[in-house]
């Protein structure tokens, strides 16, 4: 029997999804973690501190979906690209922020488009950068708290972008006022971003230049003392970063209990839903519908638990799709639709890495398949689509139709069922739709009655 994975293992794997949403190269969070832990070892920090560093590393970008819409509005274009590029500037400098804004606002637009968008952004670019950084850190700290970690983990995430000289965000704290764990992580994540793109030498130079400005000079000098033949450098090149990290943290291998796993899935549903204003609360509602429908179908507790988790996570692959496409109000171009079609595949890649989660990955990654084989991304056919998938598919569309969108009101359930009826047996399972009708067919009448 395969063992339930540990909380550290699950979150380590899911950090891949957070790398995607920040426009980072896969493994960014885990490599940041390895660098941070190495510094902690040299500093002789306690087991608890290293544990905090681990969880703060893998969750540090969990607030990142929270500013995707804002960043899209500020810069236009592909927000994943803007997010990647902004990592290479010193945004605490007004001059660099302004230069960045000029170069990166409306990257494909005319000069007029560019100036118009910049004029719409109220306040100097540096202040705007502070604002989006704050949104990310505050939200990330909230997620860490929701997952019941020690307050020191949330605190580290909250202060991740504070700088030694007091010119960071969100509070502008300086020096020792910034928690030690946050000071280590700030250096580790910056070094990682530069190293992955420009190589170790160039990244070390950035750390040298930003010592006393961004970074605690003592931590910077400890970092520079790591010799060229240190095991860390080979570890950063590993194909299995999760394994390397967990080998260093034997105390973190205790198996996750059910409430922990449910909590992680619920937190990630929030992260996923925050990515686009079009999908606010979508994962949560699809899950509620699926649980009701599965109960109607007579599910036992264990399969119900798996289906529930799969529904919370089904759109996790959307974290890898640009918000400029997710938020596009009009019709998508074929190329943009191809991008959208990749999201269940990304969900599959992310979820399947977690031991014992194959079943969950199978359900989540099939939520856009159709009974007639014309769905995406695998083009599975009726005999390959079990009841779990049929429930998830019907509930996903039911919510997509009935949810209120920024550009239209909620569609009445009766109308949604009319639309779904046209695809009965070709896209949707007739029993599942019948179940939804029985459960939700009179929802509006009931809402009116309750309101009265
Ligand atoms: Fe989807
Ligand atoms: Fe969905």
């Amino acid at each position: 029997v395969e063992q339930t994975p540990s909380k550290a293992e699950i979150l380590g794997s899911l950090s891949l999804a957070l790398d995607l949403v920040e426009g980072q190269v896969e493994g960014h969070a885990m490599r940041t973690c390895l660098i941070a832990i190495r510094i902690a070892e040299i500093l002789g920090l306690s087991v608890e501190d290293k544990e905090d560093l681990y969880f703060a590393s893998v969750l540090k970008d969990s607030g990142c979906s929270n500013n995707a819409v804002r960043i899209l509005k500020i810069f236009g274009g592909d927000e994943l690209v803007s997010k990647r590029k902004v990592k290479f500037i010193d945004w605490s400098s007004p001059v660099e922020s302004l230069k960045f804004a000029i170069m990166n606002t409306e990257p494909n637009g005319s000069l007029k488009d560019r100036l118009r968008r910049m004029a719409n952004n109220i306040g100097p670019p540096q202040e705007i950068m502070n604002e989006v950084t704050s949104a990310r850190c505050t939200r990330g700290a909230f997620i860490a708290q929701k997952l019941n970690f020690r307050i020191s983990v949330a605190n580290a995430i909250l202060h991740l972008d504070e700088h030694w000289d007091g010119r960071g965000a969100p509070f502008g704290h300086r020096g020792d006022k910034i928690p030690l764990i946050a000071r280590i992580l700030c250096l580790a994540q910056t070094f990682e971003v530069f190293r992955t793109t420009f190589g170790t030498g160039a990244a070390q130079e950035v750390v040298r230049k930003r010592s006393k400005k961004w970074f605690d000079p003592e931590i910077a000098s400890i970092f520079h003392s790591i010799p060229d033949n240190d095991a860390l450098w080979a570890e950063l090149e590993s194909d299995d970063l999760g394994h390397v990290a967990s080998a260093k943290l034997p105390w973190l291998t205790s198996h996750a209990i059910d409430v922990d796993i449910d909590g992680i899935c619920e937190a990630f549903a929030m992260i996923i839903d925050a990515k686009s204003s079009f999908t606010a609360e979508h994962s949560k509602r699809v899950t509620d519908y699926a649980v009701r429908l599965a109960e109607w179908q007579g599910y036992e507790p264990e399969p119900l638990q798996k289906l529930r988790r799969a529904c919370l996570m089904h759109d996790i692959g959307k974290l890898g799709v640009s918000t400029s496409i997710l938020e596009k109000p009009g019709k998508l171009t074929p190329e943009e639709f191809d991008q959208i079609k990749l999201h269940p595949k990304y969900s599959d890649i992310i979820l399947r890495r977690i031991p014992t989660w194959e079943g969950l990955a199978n359900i989540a990654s099939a939520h856009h398949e159709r009974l007639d084989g014309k769905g995406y991304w695998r083009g599975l056919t009726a005999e390959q689509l079990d009841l779990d998938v049929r429930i998830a598919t019907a509930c996903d569309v039911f919510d997509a139709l009935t949810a209120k969108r920024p550009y239209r009101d909620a569609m009445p359930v009766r109308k949604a069922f009319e639309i779904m009826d046209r695809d009965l047996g070709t896209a949707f399972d007739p029993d599942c739709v019948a179940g939804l009708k029985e459960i939700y067919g009179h929802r509006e009448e009931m809402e009116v009655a309750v309101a009265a």
Side-chain angles (χ1 to χ4, degrees), residues 17-18 21-22 61-71 79 83 135-136 139-140 143 267-277 318-319 323:
L18 303 178
V21 79
E22 270 303 80
D61 292 323
S62 58
C64 53
S65 56
N66 211 31
N67 65 18
V69 175
R70 183 77 179 101
I71 294 213
E79 105 283 359
K83 281 179 162 228
R136 180 168 68 98
R139 173 72 167 203
I143 299 270
F268 268 80
M270 289 172 58
I271 296 169
I272 299 159
D273 289 347
K275 179 103 177 349
S276 159
S277 54
K318 272 194 184 166
L319 292 177
T323 298

Side-chain angles (χ1 to χ4, degrees), residues 314-315 318 343 367-368 396:
H314 77 280
D315 274 332
K318 272 194 184 166
H343 82 267
H367 75 272
H368 288 290
D396 186 52

Side-chain angles (χ1 to χ4, degrees), residues 19 25-32 34 192 195-196 230-248 353:
D19 295 339
V25 177
E26 175 182 342
H28 161 72
M30 288 315 282
R31 283 189 295 272
T32 299
L34 288 172
E192 201 294 313
R195 180 186 168 274
T196 299
D230 196 272
L232 170 70
W233 308 115
E235 286 165 8
L236 294 177
E237 301 295 332
S238 164
D239 292 331
D240 196 354
L241 291 160
H243 234 96
V244 175
S246 52
K248 288 183 170 297
R353 295 172 10 142

Side-chain angles (χ1 to χ4, degrees), residues 152-403:
S152 43
V153 174
N155 242 331
I157 297 173
L158 187 61
H159 293 85
L160 193 62
D161 289 299
E162 296 290 357
H163 295 164
W164 183 255
D165 64 6
R167 294 172 71 191
F171 309 111
H173 285 169
R174 70 168 72 212
D176 291 342
K177 255 204 114 183
I178 307 163
L180 177 63
I181 303 292
R183 277 180 269 151
I184 296 174
L185 270 181
C186 177
L187 186 151
Q189 70 166 3
T190 308
F191 175 77
E192 201 294 313
V193 167
F194 279 92
R195 180 186 168 274
T196 299
T197 311
F198 301 111
T200 306
Q204 277 167 334
E205 194 45 43
V206 171
V207 174
R208 205 162 282 128
K209 268 169 77 179
R210 292 188 186 175
S211 174
K212 283 193 226 158
K213 291 184 190 132
W214 280 38
F215 309 132
D216 178 343
E218 226 176 287
I219 294 172
S221 90
I222 281 168
F223 175 73
H224 289 302
S225 76
I226 300 174
D228 289 346
N229 60 359
D230 196 272
L232 170 70
W233 308 115
E235 286 165 8
L236 294 177
E237 301 295 332
S238 164
D239 292 331
D240 196 354
L241 291 160
H243 234 96
V244 175
S246 52
K248 288 183 170 297
L249 309 163
W251 64 89
L252 283 183
T253 49
S254 62
H255 305 298
I257 52 171
D258 273 339
V259 278
D260 284 342
I261 302 178
D262 288 333
I264 289 172
C265 294
E266 285 156 17
F268 268 80
M270 289 172 58
I271 296 169
I272 299 159
D273 289 347
K275 179 103 177 349
S276 159
S277 54
F278 288 17
T279 56
E281 306 265 290
H282 167 72
S283 308
K284 190 176 167 292
R285 278 190 314 261
V286 169
T287 306
D288 291 344
Y289 298 151
V291 167
R292 291 281 307 267
L293 182 52
E295 281 167 350
W296 181 85
Q297 299 267 21
Y299 266 53
E300 296 290 333
E302 210 172 297
L304 182 63
Q305 183 187 58
K306 184 174 74 177
L307 176 65
R308 181 173 178 275
R309 291 173 181 168
C311 287
L312 286 167
M313 301 294 243
H314 77 280
D315 274 332
I316 192 168
K318 272 194 184 166
L319 292 177
V321 178
S322 172
T323 298
S324 62
I325 299 176
L326 298 178
E327 291 270 302
K328 188 171 171 180
K331 207 173 170 319
L332 297 174
T333 66
E335 293 75 31
E336 287 167 338
F337 194 53
D338 283 344
Q339 285 294 306
I340 292 271
K341 278 182 176 170
L342 284 174
H343 82 267
K345 186 180 176 178
Y346 291 156
S347 295
D348 193 62
I349 294 170
I350 294 160
L351 299 173
R352 197 170 295 280
R353 295 172 10 142
I354 302 168
T356 74
W357 280 34
E358 298 88 342
L360 205 150
N362 286 337
I363 305 168
S365 65
H367 75 272
H368 288 290
E369 301 290 353
R370 293 166 50 108
L371 296 173
D372 61 10
K374 289 181 183 156
Y376 59 91
W377 52 288
R378 290 192 179 96
L380 300 176
T381 50
E383 50 292 356
Q384 294 164 294
L385 302 175
D386 60 21
L387 188 54
D388 288 334
V389 172
R390 293 170 189 225
I391 289 174
T393 310
C395 294
D396 186 52
V397 170
F398 180 62
D399 183 64
L401 291 172
T402 54

